[in-house]
Amino acid sequence: MRKTFVFIAVNGNISSNCSDFHTSSWRNILQRLDLSVQFMLLTRRNPDCAQPVNNNSDIENSNFNTSLPTKLIMHGYRMMGSKPSWADTMAQELLRAMDVNVIVVDWIIGSTALYHNAVQNSALLGLKASILIKNLISRGSTEKSFHLIGISLGAHVAGFVGRMLNGKLGQITGLDPAGPKFSKASVDERLDPSDALFVEAIHSDSDHFGISRPVGHIDFYLNGGQDQPGCSRPFSSSVYKYLICDHTRAIYLYISSIKHHCPLVGFPCQTYEHFRSGGCIECNNHSLQSCPRIGLLERAGLSADEQPKEVKVYLMTSSDSPFCVKHFLVEIFFKQLGPYDQSIELTFLSSNRSNISHLHLTIPNKESNERTLRKVIPYARFGNMDAITIEQLSSWRRKRYEIHIEKLRVSELPLNDRERPPSCIHNIVIDKKAFFAMFASCL
């Protein structure tokens, strides 16, 4: 085992008295070392040099301020035994955004190599973290002032801690809570809404490393919670980064939500498919009475009138930071259909004619009862949707017929925002040539 005492500052300054993460290896595991948990404090008085707060003496000699909120960050399973690459960035962005105590938890030794061993060690980590928090509360901090941010396996550890504090901690944020060993676990063995006054989870890899079921008061599912845009490029990075790209997207999106101000709004809905088909497009016609947002918001921006539980909300994102997009409802009203199903490609354009979004649709045949298609699409927040091209896709098996559209309407979500009227294109005829038109008022 090798322990370093250098915390690399964002501005390049280095102090030999600063704490940093342990490193681990398979040799450490074979030697059955203890967890070697350490708690490292960063504040605006020491933003670049972490202070240990492992015991009473450490706390007394630190900059911990009981009158400030406390953010406690817990990483998850570490296959390679290395320091999380995102840890410094998250801590620094939290300090820039708020005057808070940031405590970074290092349990690299107990979380490395064998996953099932890390799962077993997580209960002991939860106990150690709860002892620290109780100690800080005894010194004047309030239970409500604590916000635990748990990543993957660390999200369930945060749940253990919250349970040991009788669910009275202020908030827990689970960033793609781990799925393996937890998908079928009882509420006492995983993150659950009862673990804090408010529990939120952001799901980005629910079909592999993350859990699919809701585990909070509000559960955000990014792009359905599974495949993330920009993560299907295995040759653009290492195989390891490719494999965990979906899983870590929740982390980088959350960091981006702290740094940037563009809203990441989730729409309550039963399924992602129902959301994509335009079934959940308003923010005031469900029990929440508003749409929750990702970021440093109290209760995700919801009012305190009614406490939700395991509410699924869906949103789309872009492939790069700041990840936020606008959501648009596309409605196509058909005037005449052909004898066969046909496919079209819609490309939405900005004022400078750059692509904002694409939509591939199958147009029903004249025997179908469908005369309207509805789809929700994302588009970049920094562009305006001004025009569209529609191309009829070829099929070597069937003759192409003209497609007659009475009206194509696009509306920015949520629909109940009357300050953003919809835009329309009327009387569209699509044949072998690509159709192009500018959007105009629907009046």
Side-chain angles (χ1 to χ4, degrees), residues 318 324-327 350 355-357 378-385:
S318 64
C324 46
V325 299
K326 290 182 179 179
H327 296 84
S350 65
N355 295 345
I356 288 178
S357 186
Y379 80 99
R381 284 208 59 86
F382 305 108
N384 293 317
M385 187 183 294

Side-chain angles (χ1 to χ4, degrees), residues 249-260:
R249 177 58 57 84
I251 305 170
Y252 293 109
L253 181 133
Y254 190 70
I255 292 172
S256 181
S257 75
I258 301 170
K259 182 177 181 179
H260 300 283

Side-chain angles (χ1 to χ4, degrees), residues 7 24 37 39 56 104-105 154 156 158 160 164 169 176 189 244 266 280 286 289 303 323 404 414:
F7 193 94
S24 186
V37 177
F39 302 99
N56 288 331
V104 183
V105 181
H156 298 298
F160 300 155
M164 293 175 189
L169 297 181
D176 207 37
E189 299 172 317
I244 65 169
C280 307
H286 47 77
Q289 294 300 307
S303 68
F323 299 108
H404 294 253

Side-chain angles (χ1 to χ4, degrees), residues 223 263-267 272 275-276 314-317 324-329 376-379 381 385 411-414 420:
N223 305 290
L264 290 156
V265 180
F267 294 82
Y272 187 54
F275 168 62
R276 287 298 307 269
Y314 296 93
L315 68 155
M316 301 180 204
T317 71
C324 46
V325 299
K326 290 182 179 179
H327 296 84
F328 256 72
L329 173 66
V376 174
I377 63 167
Y379 80 99
R381 284 208 59 86
M385 187 183 294
S411 310
E412 186 175 348
L413 302 185
R420 296 174 291 193

Side-chain angles (χ1 to χ4, degrees), residues 71-314:
K71 309 287 183 180
L72 193 142
I73 304 171
M74 289 184 287
H75 65 80
Y77 171 62
R78 303 298 300 167
M79 178 182 292
M80 309 305 291
S82 59
K83 172 183 176 178
S85 60
W86 46 262
D88 290 356
T89 303
M90 180 178 288
Q92 296 295 332
E93 293 300 339
L94 286 169
L95 289 174
R96 289 191 184 100
M98 303 176 68
D99 189 6
V100 292
N101 305 299
V102 175
I103 297 178
V104 183
V105 181
D106 165 25
W107 65 297
I108 293 291
I109 302 300
S111 65
T112 296
L114 301 177
Y115 179 73
H116 74 269
N117 284 354
V119 172
Q120 292 176 345
N121 290 337
S122 63
L124 179 56
L125 172 63
L127 176 61
K128 290 179 177 291
S130 66
I131 292 173
L132 171 68
I133 292 175
K134 289 177 181 178
N135 192 350
L136 297 174
I137 291 173
S138 70
R139 294 170 179 270
S141 292
T142 63
E143 294 169 319
K144 189 177 180 180
S145 68
F146 285 89
H147 176 195
L148 278 54
I149 303 171
I151 289 82
S152 189
L153 182 53
H156 298 298
V157 177
F160 300 155
V161 176
R163 196 167 304 113
M164 293 175 189
L165 274 297
N166 301 313
K168 294 182 179 181
L169 297 181
Q171 182 170 328
I172 294 176
T173 298
L175 302 181
D176 207 37
K181 302 288 187 180
F182 294 95
S183 294
K184 297 180 180 180
S186 68
V187 295
D188 294 328
E189 299 172 317
R190 60 166 173 81
L191 183 62
D192 176 77
S194 64
D195 294 333
L197 298 180
F198 184 74
V199 179
E200 62 180 353
I202 301 174
H203 302 262
S204 59
D205 191 29
S206 58
D207 55 342
H208 288 100
F209 299 122
I211 199 168
S212 60
R213 62 164 301 149
V215 292
H217 293 102
I218 298 292
D219 286 72
F220 296 90
Y221 290 82
L222 309 180
N223 305 290
Q226 297 183 1
D227 301 321
Q228 302 305 313
C231 283
S232 58
R233 302 184 294 232
F235 302 108
S236 62
S237 60
S238 69
V239 174
Y240 176 69
K241 288 184 178 179
Y242 166 65
L243 291 174
I244 65 169
C245 181
D246 290 336
H247 191 43
T248 57
R249 177 58 57 84
I251 305 170
Y252 293 109
L253 181 133
Y254 190 70
I255 292 172
S256 181
S257 75
I258 301 170
K259 182 177 181 179
H260 300 283
H261 297 293
C262 55
L264 290 156
V265 180
F267 294 82
C269 206
Q270 288 299 312
T271 67
Y272 187 54
E273 292 72 23
H274 192 43
F275 168 62
R276 287 298 307 269
S277 62
C280 307
I281 51 180
E282 296 187 1
C283 287
N284 61 359
N285 63 347
H286 47 77
S287 61
L288 299 182
Q289 294 300 307
S290 62
C291 286
R293 291 183 291 163
I294 295 173
L296 293 180
L297 301 166
E298 186 174 357
R299 300 183 76 254
L302 300 173
S303 68
D305 295 340
E306 184 176 349
Q307 184 78 323
K309 184 179 180 181
E310 297 183 354
V311 176
K312 295 182 178 181
V313 300
Y314 296 93

